[in-house]
């Protein structure tokens, strides 16, 4: 779409209350990670890596891909997480040449402790919806996620 075409589309686009609410939610969500990182005394990349490690162990190469940095930079990030006591290196279970970072109890608590107030509000909000309403919200958010993912796909 040309820029003139894009401007024409935007001029004709009727932003519904749902679209405006989504935009506001996305903006607010974008401010969560920097705030949590600041409160935890971590850099944003360290927090992103820690969030990933809460889901399971990862090697430096995987963290490098996630963060868009070199493997050496991801190794340094792992060093900093270990210094904070939030992660520990362990040998890979099937390849002795590799190591994995594992989140520690301290690291898990660091991430979850800062996010719990938000999780509690979201759980209360979710509890106020019927199953049918939740299904509509989930369909809308899944569609929005798909639209966002199209923006970050490689050209």
């Amino acid at each position: 779409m040309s820029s003139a075409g894009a401007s024409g589309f935007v001029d004709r686009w009727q932003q519904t209350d749902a679209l405006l609410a989504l935009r506001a939610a996305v903006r607010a969500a974008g401010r969560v990670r920097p705030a949590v990182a600041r409160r935890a005394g971590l850099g944003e990349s360290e927090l992103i890596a820690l969030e990933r490690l809460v889901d399971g162990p990862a090697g430096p190469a995987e963290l490098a891909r996630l963060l868009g940095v070199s493997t050496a930079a991801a190794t340094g990030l792992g060093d900093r997480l270990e210094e904070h006591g939030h992660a520990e290196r362990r040998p890979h279970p099937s390849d002795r040449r590799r190591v994995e970072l594992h989140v520690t109890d301290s690291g898990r608590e660091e991430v979850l402790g800062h996010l719990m107030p938000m999780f509690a509000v979201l759980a209360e909000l979710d509890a106020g919806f019927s199953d049918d309403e939740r299904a509509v919200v989930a369909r809308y958010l899944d569609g929005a996620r798909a639209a966002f993912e199209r923006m970050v796909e490689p050209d």
Side-chain angles (χ1 to χ4, degrees), residues 53 87 127 139:
L53 295 176
R139 185 168 49 101

Side-chain angles (χ1 to χ4, degrees), residues 29-86:
R31 294 190 304 268
V32 169
R33 188 175 278 141
V36 169
R38 186 178 58 255
R39 289 179 190 141
L42 299 170
E44 262 188 84
S45 292
E46 293 166 336
L47 180 61
I48 292 167
L50 200 51
E51 290 170 349
R52 167 58 190 81
L53 295 176
V54 166
D55 292 336
E62 182 180 347
L63 293 178
R65 281 189 302 276
L66 171 69
L67 298 168
V69 299
S70 69
T71 304
T75 298
L77 183 142
D79 292 342
R80 291 189 301 278
L81 289 176
E82 277 192 307
E83 288 167 11
H84 284 286
H86 297 327

Side-chain angles (χ1 to χ4, degrees), residues 12-146:
R12 294 185 308 277
W13 189 18
Q14 296 296 311
Q15 295 229 17
T16 63
D17 288 344
L19 288 168
L20 293 170
L22 177 63
R23 286 179 64 189
V26 168
R27 277 193 207 109
R31 294 190 304 268
V32 169
R33 188 175 278 141
V36 169
R38 186 178 58 255
R39 289 179 190 141
L42 299 170
E44 262 188 84
S45 292
E46 293 166 336
L47 180 61
I48 292 167
L50 200 51
E51 290 170 349
R52 167 58 190 81
L53 295 176
V54 166
D55 292 336
E62 182 180 347
L63 293 178
R65 281 189 302 276
L66 171 69
L67 298 168
V69 299
S70 69
T71 304
T75 298
L77 183 142
D79 292 342
R80 291 189 301 278
L81 289 176
E82 277 192 307
E83 288 167 11
H84 284 286
H86 297 327
E88 63 184 16
R89 285 185 173 87
R90 296 183 196 160
H92 189 277
S94 61
D95 185 347
R96 293 187 313 159
R97 297 168 296 172
R98 295 174 44 202
V99 296
E100 294 179 322
L101 272 175
H102 292 253
V103 70
T104 62
D105 290 343
S106 164
R108 184 180 316 282
E109 288 302 311
E110 188 68 54
V111 171
L112 297 178
H114 290 289
L115 294 174
M116 281 311 298
M118 180 183 70
F119 291 164
V121 171
L122 291 172
E124 185 177 333
L125 176 66
D126 189 70
F129 289 106
S130 69
D131 288 344
D132 289 342
E133 289 171 322
R134 267 190 227 97
V136 171
V137 171
R139 185 168 49 101
Y140 185 85
L141 292 175
D142 283 344
R145 178 198 41 77

